[in-house]
Amino acid sequence: TVEYFLRQDDVNELQARLFRRAIDMCRALIQEKGYGAKDVEKVLLIGGPTLSPFLQQMVSTGATTASGFHVEGLGIPIDTAV
């Protein structure tokens, strides 16, 4: 039997690059359509990973992992009401 303790920081590190890729795609689409963050009222996240507080922070304001990997947020409020 092998035991491994996975800390929240470890999970954030594993997810950060994938989340950044998704955020970059959203940013590119918004810019491609001629809009900016101020033109978008809110972001509605859908799906299991979107419940992650780390992802929500990354999307709205940006975040840095424990190892220093930084993701710039979209600067758009998150709607978690759904």
Side-chain angles (χ1 to χ4, degrees):
T1 302
V2 174
E3 282 190 40
Y4 181 79
F5 294 95
L6 193 61
R7 299 171 304 140
Q8 186 62 49
D9 284 345
D10 298 326
V11 174
N12 293 347
E13 290 289 340
L14 293 170
Q15 298 177 69
R17 284 172 173 67
L18 181 61
F19 289 166
R20 178 167 138 179
R21 184 173 168 216
I23 291 168
D24 287 347
M25 285 190 290
C26 291
R27 182 180 291 109
L29 179 62
I30 290 168
Q31 290 174 351
E32 178 183 303
K33 298 300 177 183
Y35 296 107
K38 294 178 182 173
D39 298 313
V40 181
E41 184 178 327
K42 61 185 170 184
V43 173
L44 177 62
L45 301 174
I46 299 173
T50 63
L51 299 175
S52 163
F54 183 63
L55 173 62
Q56 293 173 10
Q57 179 184 357
M58 286 178 72
V59 171
S60 62
T61 61
T64 303
T65 64
S67 70
F69 181 76
H70 180 72
V71 177
E72 185 178 332
L74 293 174
I76 303 170
I78 301 295
D79 185 350
T80 57
V82 174

